[in-house]
Amino acid sequence: MRITALAGGIGGARFLRGLLHHLDRSGTAAEVTVIVNTADDITLHGLRVCPDLDTVMYTLGGGIHPGQGWGRDDEQFTVAEEFAAYGEGPDWFTLGDRDLATHVVRTRLLGQGMTLSQVTAVLCERWRPGVRLLPMSDDRVETHVVIDADPDPESPPDGVVAPTRAVHFQEWWVRLHAAVPARRILAIGMETATPAPGVLEALRSADVILLPPSNPVVSIGTVLAVPGVRDALRGTRAPVVGVSPIVGGAPVRGMADACLTALGVETTAAAVAGLYADFLRGWLVDDADAALAATSGPGVPGQPVVRARPLLMTDLDASADIAAAALDLALELRPTADAGR
Ligand code: GDP
Ligand code: CA
């Protein structure tokens, strides 16, 4: 069985760790390909940092900081202290010593002319994540957020547009805690980006496609915006089944509500499903949103099967049970001709 998933960082990684655990404990043979958001990537201290790729790689490879959900386990910050002593910013994004080694290796290989896909494959030789990890694109795409230039603007006179400025997504998310309203969310470089090698093929040839509970705007949303990806999802014969990151009207962690608000989309499990309406065939929501199951349809785009179950990934078994439910629903939705395959 070929399973393809899209993913951001923590929500994607925890779901995928659960998926691999489920496949292992049930003795199901499957090849898993993961297409990871790279629009959070940022250059710091001259080093290319890919937070979502690294979170998935460290989580599945056994090197993640367990409580935090991102960064390395057993981490120290000696180099960060030295950067601070030089006044070398930014002071709002700290890289640990172990983590820095990853970015140094990546940056050197990119500098030698390797693509991000090739570099990711090299890094995965060490981490052996048990999945094929693909960046969504080898081209540089970066999410930037348009915010008000003046944090405390007086309303400008009629006819005068309030000044705005754009900051890198990480500055809005990490430094400003997404507390400053996002007027717009832009994916710089997206129009000319192409999917990384293997991405479209992994969507077209998959038996099932899973959307973990990753951020619908700045994780799944950016992967979907890579030219060709959305069309491949609409055209594939594989059923697409998603897991809601929104439980009871709020993100389980992080500030996805601030991203949805920027798009004028409500922070509800139903509204997130609406963002995927043109290809989504199955949707898992939390028991807190069980009322949505009354809208369950026949399992076609626009009318997905909706099922309610507990969706908190509190530990590995809970994550595995959620992944199992998503996979089971996808298998139910496969064309009947495939039933015995
Ligand atoms: P990021 O790139 O590190 O922000 O991670 P993702 O985009 O992959 O995932 C972030 C999303 O995961 C957030 O919107 C959370 O609501 C969601 N999330 C985190 N933990 C859980 C959980 O236990 N259950 C569900 N359903 N969603 C979760
Ligand atoms: Ca991310």
Side-chain angles (χ1 to χ4, degrees):
M1 178 164 48
R2 280 163 301 188
I3 303 172
T4 298
L6 312 190
I10 299 181
R14 291 196 169 154
F15 174 87
L16 291 163
R17 190 172 53 183
L19 176 67
L20 292 185
H21 186 58
H22 165 67
L23 293 170
D24 185 47
R25 74 184 179 186
S26 63
T28 310
E31 273 173 38
V32 182
T33 301
V34 184
I35 302 167
V36 182
N37 171 49
T38 55
D40 291 7
D41 296 7
I42 186 167
T43 300
L44 295 168
H45 314 291
L47 302 174
R48 195 66 181 155
V49 179
C50 301
D52 288 0
L53 276 172
D54 289 346
T55 295
V56 175
M57 183 174 77
Y58 294 157
T59 300
L60 301 184
I64 198 76
H65 185 296
Q68 203 166 252
W70 52 270
R72 286 294 317 278
D73 57 348
D74 193 20
E75 187 57 288
Q76 296 189 13
F77 294 90
T78 309
V79 180
E81 284 164 20
E82 292 295 314
F83 282 146
Y86 282 111
E88 163 93 357
D91 58 4
W92 45 266
F93 201 108
T94 312
L95 299 171
D97 299 345
R98 290 183 188 277
D99 195 27
L100 268 163
T102 304
H103 313 315
V104 169
V105 174
R106 173 186 292 122
T107 305
R108 181 180 66 79
L109 295 175
L110 288 170
Q112 287 177 350
M114 277 195 189
T115 63
L116 184 59
S117 305
Q118 290 168 333
V119 173
T120 303
V122 170
L123 298 175
C124 285
E125 282 172 24
R126 171 183 176 192
W127 290 103
R128 306 201 169 275
V131 303
R132 191 159 63 112
L133 211 56
L134 302 179
M136 66 184 197
S137 176
D138 283 335
D139 300 317
R140 188 160 160 172
V141 176
E142 283 186 4
T143 302
H144 286 230
V145 179
V146 178
I147 59 174
D148 292 337
D150 182 345
D152 186 21
E154 289 178 19
S155 35
D158 282 351
V160 176
V161 177
T164 57
R165 67 190 179 104
V167 295
H168 190 287
F169 168 74
Q170 297 294 357
E171 184 170 354
W172 182 64
W173 193 255
V174 178
R175 184 170 84 86
L176 301 171
H177 304 288
V180 176
R183 299 300 173 203
R184 287 182 72 194
I185 297 178
L186 310 168
I188 308 293
M190 190 65 94
E191 315 82 59
T192 52
T194 54
V199 164
L200 296 183
E201 176 59 18
L203 296 170
R204 291 185 185 128
S205 68
D207 296 305
V208 304
I209 297 176
L210 301 177
L211 304 186
S214 287
N215 186 307
V217 180
V218 294
S219 293
I220 303 285
T222 41
V223 180
L224 294 177
V226 177
V229 166
R230 204 165 187 123
D231 280 341
L233 281 162
R234 289 189 191 124
T236 186
R237 47 200 283 290
V240 184
V241 170
V243 177
S244 177
I246 304 299
V247 167
V252 176
R253 55 181 292 164
M255 293 81 70
D257 46 339
C259 303
L260 289 163
T261 301
L263 266 60
V265 173
E266 277 181 29
T267 303
T268 62
V272 173
L275 294 173
Y276 310 144
D278 48 329
F279 55 79
L280 188 72
R281 295 181 50 201
W283 189 231
L284 294 186
V285 300
D286 188 80
D287 284 334
D289 303 302
L292 203 62
T295 67
S296 188
V300 296
Q303 297 172 283
V305 174
V306 180
R307 272 191 200 152
R309 69 173 328 282
L311 284 191
L312 294 186
M313 299 187 285
T314 43
D315 57 26
L316 183 57
D317 282 320
S319 308
D321 292 345
I322 293 167
L327 185 59
D328 287 350
L329 177 52
L331 292 174
E332 281 174 43
L333 291 169
R334 277 172 79 191
T336 36
D338 288 3
R341 226 171 78 187

